Amino acid sequence: MTAPVVVCSWTGIREEPPEETEAALTLGRSVSAGLGVGLVWLVVGPAPQDCAEVAARHGVGEIEVISDPKLSTGLADSFVEAVCRFLGDHPAGLVLFSQTFDTRLVAPLVAGRLGASVVMNALDVAVEGDGLEVTAAAFGGDTRVVYRAATGRPCVVALLANSVVPEPASSPSSPTVSEVPVDLSEVHERVRVLDPARAEGPRLEDAEIIVAGGRGLGSPQNYKLVEQLAEALGGMAAASRPIVDDGWIDSSRQVGLTGKITRPALYLAAGISGATQHMVGCSAAKTIVAVNSDPDAPIFRHARYGIVADCNEVLPELVRAVTQVSDSHD
Amino acid sequence: MRIVVFAKEVLDPDAVGAYAVSGGLVVDDDGNITQSTIPRLMNGYDEQAIEAALRLKDSGLECTVVVASIGSDQTAMLRHALSLGADEVVAIEPPEGPMDCHVVASILVAWVASVGGADLVLCGRQASDDDQGVVPALVSVGLGMPLVTLARSVEMPGLGQPVQVVRVTPDGDEKVEVDLPAVVTVSSELGEPRYPTMPQKMAARKVNPPVLTTQELAVGAGGLEPAVVVARQFVPTLKGDCEIIVGEGPAQLADELVARLVENKLIKAGR
Ligand SMILES: Cc1cc2nc3c(=O)[nH]c(=O)nc-3n(C[C@H](O)[C@H](O)[C@H](O)COP(=O)(O)OP(=O)(O)OC[C@H]3O[C@@H](n4cnc5c(N)ncnc54)[C@H](O)[C@@H]3O)c2cc1C
């Protein structure tokens, strides 16, 4: 295989977290070294200011920028067209995306157009013999599946957030930067946005402290305790899926496989069993604390500290204790 | 109009999770989970895709809802689809060799073509076994249809009108519109699927879903060659270093925990 590894990032309407792009560059570098091929960073949409710096740090050989204004709309057809045209002219062995809401949609479309193999929810890509093996989370994270990609076609992989720790190359590179001319004037977006989503306030993905409540709270009224503790800690309140499904709280608060992938310093889970589908969204937390009345709840296998008790009794006491500590030096 | 829903039979993810946690999950050398005690059921998101189709039908739209599934021995699952209110169901026997999402999509595309096309294809956002969620995208490319993902609701003001989809995004709901034919994937936010009534169940029990083979379908060149094969599957290990806080009653437990959080600079004393 001589075709390069292409890491593709999309600065569309929703910004891709820079550390996730760097994680993809880190993994892309290791695969390109293993295959003995080049590493290309394909920037779709306006190039980030520090992109040359980031690329150099990660040993990127070439930066290719496609910055047609249509690509900032965040709509799929222009993106897929632009990327497929680029990859048609510059065939890649591996096309690596960091998995975001937007790339979850477009990566498989690109693969479909190119006839490429495709693996989502990837945690790792390894060179095995003359081919690639992609490890991905399955069953909501309960298992890992290792896929062997067929040789002779490109492989599109979307890397799950928090799965690779970004690391700079041992020696930086001096990447070339080229603007790729792509004419998208003929592309007609088939999906029309009638009412855009409006991000309101801070995002769980950025929160340093998260207090999450689950079905163990027993009733919607008790979710208030979670919100009070979050407020006392200066963090954000989140939830497991069942209580979102039951309408206790908006789905923008859901953490997990089909919700938000978070990475706080502190994640306090109250009345949450710790199903893998939930833990996918918080296992990157530096410290997990669990309050659960069942000593055998799986959450304790992930937690650093655990309290085995009724969360509805402990949460108000935590609010009190936290408030006392915060007030102590005022 | 014809609404097609693709449904996949999966191993009950909760049962797989329970075995994985207890250390008792049995996986063979080809990466298949072999425990016969794990129930097989319809992928929950696919059941919600059927629900989305039935809601369109309930809204007065003149349509036929067809549920198609690739797999062996799917009679029970397809009868369930019928009892929910699907007008037609069809099972497609899997090919001899291994299947990946490319193979599945190629077969589904060939099947849709064989029945004269579809106006709306509804799928679950992902299958709760491999969680890949790429078949809808590959099908949309194969059929030349636009793709809308993660629907909380799917509505159509009338026949021939564009379909309006409310998508669940990280920034809240987004409302989009797309002309048919189109592929739409359904997310859990759509809500609970309906339960079949007893008479519906009884009626469905009398139906033997038709079974097609892939040979009967004009699958495109290379369509049965997988692009990825499963090399192996395993259960990841966890570190497990939890300190269980001890104390007399909630107040002391809370104080002990907060002391540890302060000690580890996770929360600041004084703000
Ligand atoms: C394909 C798929 C995707 C999914 N995606 C997600 C996702 O994105 N996010 C998500 O969260 N889930 C997701 N799930 C669901 C997931 O599998 C679990 O069912 C869910 O996380 C469980 O939520 P829970 O812990 O709140 O509820 P439960 O599992 O019911 O746990 C409640 C816990 O509370 C404890 N408890 C009860 N009473 C008390 C009390 N008084 N005090 C303290 N503790 C108490 C119990 O011991 C128990 O451990 C998904 C599932 C599937 C199949």
Side-chain angles (χ1 to χ4, degrees), chain A residues 116 139-140 144 146 148 194 232, chain B residues 102 129 131 175 229 231 234 271:
Chain A
F139 284 102
R144 304 277 181 266
V146 181
R148 178 155 252 286
L194 300 179
Chain B
H102 268 282
D129 49 3
D131 287 321
K175 190 171 188 184
V229 290
F234 61 94
R271 257 186 291 142

Side-chain angles (χ1 to χ4, degrees), chain A residues 287-290 303-307, chain B residues 242-243 245 257 260-261 264:
Chain A
T287 302
I288 295 176
V289 176
R304 177 68 193 88
Y305 300 108
I307 292 183
Chain B
C242 186
E243 178 193 345
I245 309 282
L257 174 62
R260 298 226 186 1
L261 298 182
N264 288 284

Side-chain angles (χ1 to χ4, degrees), chain B residues 5 45-58 84 122 190-195:
Chain B
V5 185
Y45 296 117
D46 295 345
E47 201 165 348
Q48 288 178 299
I50 295 178
E51 175 65 26
L54 296 173
R55 287 185 195 170
L56 284 171
K57 199 180 172 100
D58 292 346
L84 290 170
L122 290 170
L190 187 104
E192 284 281 305
R194 64 198 59 194
Y195 288 101

Side-chain angles (χ1 to χ4, degrees), chain B residues 7-9 69-79 91-92 209:
Chain B
K8 180 180 186 183
E9 195 173 56
S69 180
I70 303 176
S72 305
D73 191 17
Q74 315 229 75
T75 305
M77 185 187 77
L78 290 172
R79 281 184 181 155
I92 304 170

Side-chain angles (χ1 to χ4, degrees), chain A residues 139-140 213-218 239-243 254-260 270-279 291-295 297-299 307 309-313, chain B residues 13-14 43 45 126-129 131 188:
Chain A
F139 284 102
R215 191 143 55 186
L217 289 167
S240 68
R241 175 164 137 188
I243 72 169
Q254 181 182 322
V255 169
L257 178 71
T258 48
K260 302 288 167 70
I272 291 180
S273 60
T276 330
Q277 290 91 349
H278 182 82
M279 300 316 295
V291 184
N292 196 303
S293 50
D294 174 6
I299 184 94
I307 292 183
D310 182 342
C311 59
N312 296 316
E313 290 179 10
Chain B
D14 289 340
N43 173 33
Y45 296 117
Q126 65 202 66
S128 51
D129 49 3
D131 287 321
S188 50

